[in-house]
Amino acid sequence: MLPTIAPQPVRGLVITEVVVVAGLNLELLVRRLIVHAPASAGEILYFAVGLAAGAIALLRRRFPERTATLTASAIALSLACSGVGFFVALPAEIGGDPEVVASMLLVGAACHQLHRGLAAVLAVLGGLAMASAPVLRYGSTSATLAVAVMWALLWGCSVMVGLILRDGDARRDAALAAARDRERLELARELHDLVAHHITGVVVRTQAASVILAEGPEHDLIKEIEQAGSEALGAVRRLVVMLRSPGHGSAVPASNLVETVEAAGAHGDGVTVRLAPGLADLVVTPETVSTVHRVVLESLTNVGKHAHDARHVVVVVEPAENGRYLRVEVSNDGLRPGRVRRAPGGYGLIGMGERIAALDGRLTAGEHGDRGWRVLAELPLPEGGTSR
């Protein structure tokens, strides 16, 4: 199988960031605060802000899930410092290299890792903080305007690098998904052309033996072998259909239907999952568990795409028709009154329908109630298998 673990940050790149940030702060400490002592209040304030921004930039490696918070904190700190410098007019020489480098690292990381909307907001605020800092802190002179232009260009470079890395990740993910699809389809072809062919041969020979030995003592045993072969052939064919279905994801645990439904329901916001009592004791096939997971996941994805006004999303899984079927219902109230909505005809619903049809189940999707939309799947259960 192809690897799915996200690449770890290059150790050399991390060390370079630490050396650059630490070196710039140390150089500023020696040159501004020690050699030219006593330092002014402005020099001390700007050095402290640069030191804090550098620490925040390095912390993003340790806490990548908090990149947005760290970037926003550094930007707020920089803007607050510039506001103090503007209103109080603290005396200081033009500087701030450590803060600029830290801002570049954070803005680049935001453009690389965060959601597009949040990344755009942080990038704009970061550019505003970097470009306005020289003018607000040191006054409107030709030198400060030149520094402001240079810092704006550096901001643009950080945004460009972040977007390049983001595009590279997207291309890598697309290539990985394409490779997985090729592997999945190749496996489906092998199952269909090789495994199913050999199982069919076994079933045909067993049927012939059953006819020849119709009066023999081995007849019952041969019938059991024939039935087992037919069930195996049906399972292989269903598996082939599932592998060929668009949007086929990673395997889900087949041993616990309750955990599978709850895991799928966790992919949506504000989703209420209602499970029938005793569902954990229900005997279901691995194909049924996988199909239930796909139905819930695909339905919640469609809610996020087409039902932005939905306030309530409910997932119900329960036995039906005296335990003959497993009923999976995903409903929402995101259909506006008077608005005509057709059943989605994308590949997700097509693949879902093929998988359910392969299990001899039923699928319906359409309006439900005044402003509701419902996806209902009914999957057959094994006979006599309503309890473990």
Side-chain angles (χ1 to χ4, degrees):
M1 295 298 294
L2 295 171
T4 58
I5 300 176
Q8 298 296 320
V10 181
R11 185 180 299 272
L13 183 59
V14 176
I15 295 175
T16 301
E17 288 183 6
V18 173
V19 170
V20 171
V21 172
L24 289 174
N25 279 286
L26 182 61
E27 184 272 339
L28 187 60
L29 173 65
V30 173
R31 180 166 58 88
R32 293 286 184 89
L33 304 184
I34 297 179
V35 175
H36 296 89
S40 65
E43 299 282 358
I44 296 175
L45 174 62
Y46 300 149
F47 170 77
V49 171
L51 184 64
I56 292 174
L58 296 178
L59 281 175
R60 86 189 194 284
R61 293 288 191 184
R62 180 67 178 82
F63 305 102
E65 71 281 358
R66 300 180 181 177
T67 298
T69 302
L70 294 173
T71 303
S73 300
I75 293 173
L77 183 62
S78 177
L79 290 173
C81 179
S82 297
V84 171
F86 177 75
F87 290 106
V88 182
L90 297 174
E93 295 183 12
I94 299 178
D97 293 341
E99 183 181 349
V100 171
V101 171
S103 299
M104 291 176 61
L105 293 175
L106 290 168
V107 169
C111 293
H112 176 204
Q113 301 172 5
L114 301 182
H115 185 270
R116 287 179 295 179
L118 182 57
V121 172
L122 292 177
V124 172
L125 292 177
L128 177 63
M130 291 176 64
S132 63
V135 177
L136 295 177
R137 298 179 187 181
Y138 309 111
S140 299
T141 65
S142 58
T144 56
L145 291 176
V147 172
V149 171
M150 183 181 66
W151 286 10
L153 292 175
L154 292 175
W155 167 80
C157 292
S158 67
V159 172
M160 180 179 64
V161 171
L163 293 178
I164 290 174
L165 294 176
R166 187 188 192 97
D167 180 70
D169 287 349
R171 291 176 181 272
R172 183 178 65 249
D173 292 342
L176 185 60
R180 284 176 175 161
D181 285 342
R182 288 194 298 270
E183 181 180 355
R184 174 170 53 81
L185 294 176
E186 181 64 26
L187 179 59
R189 283 192 292 269
E190 291 180 1
L191 285 173
H192 181 270
D193 297 339
L194 299 179
V195 179
H197 173 73
H198 291 303
I199 295 178
T200 301
V202 172
V203 172
V204 171
R205 288 174 174 83
T206 305
Q207 291 173 342
S210 177
V211 173
I212 295 174
L213 303 175
E215 303 299 331
E218 303 89 352
H219 180 72
D220 292 340
L221 178 60
I222 291 176
K223 292 298 292 184
E224 292 179 2
I225 296 175
E226 178 187 348
Q227 182 179 0
S230 299
E231 292 177 355
L233 181 60
V236 169
R237 287 172 175 170
R238 290 193 295 269
L239 181 58
V240 169
V241 172
M242 292 178 188
L243 289 174
R244 287 176 173 173
S245 297
H248 178 79
S250 58
V252 299
S255 59
N256 195 322
L257 178 62
V258 173
E259 290 183 1
T260 301
V261 174
E262 291 177 344
H267 287 79
D269 296 331
V271 177
T272 301
V273 178
R274 298 176 183 171
L275 305 178
L279 190 66
D281 298 326
L282 201 66
V283 174
V284 292
T285 63
E287 301 97 319
T288 299
V289 177
S290 177
T291 302
V292 169
H293 181 270
R294 189 73 246 165
V295 168
V296 176
L297 201 60
E298 185 68 31
S299 299
L300 294 180
T301 300
N302 288 335
V303 171
K305 290 181 179 179
H306 307 295
H308 302 291
D309 299 331
R311 294 170 296 178
H312 304 287
V313 182
V314 180
V315 178
V316 179
V317 181
E318 59 186 2
E321 299 185 20
N322 296 324
R324 294 178 53 234
Y325 287 89
L326 181 66
R327 187 172 180 271
V328 182
E329 177 182 345
V330 182
S331 58
N332 69 86
D333 59 351
L335 187 62
R336 299 175 186 173
R339 176 184 172 188
V340 178
R341 175 177 163 187
R342 295 177 299 173
Y347 291 113
L349 188 63
I350 294 175
M352 190 193 309
E354 290 179 350
R355 296 180 68 161
I356 294 174
L359 297 177
D360 296 326
R362 304 186 291 259
L363 173 68
T364 57
E367 298 182 19
H368 181 66
D370 294 335
R371 52 174 294 147
W373 188 268
R374 182 181 68 171
V375 175
L376 177 62
E378 295 173 294
L379 304 171
L381 292 172
E383 293 184 6
T386 56
S387 63
R388 294 186 187 276

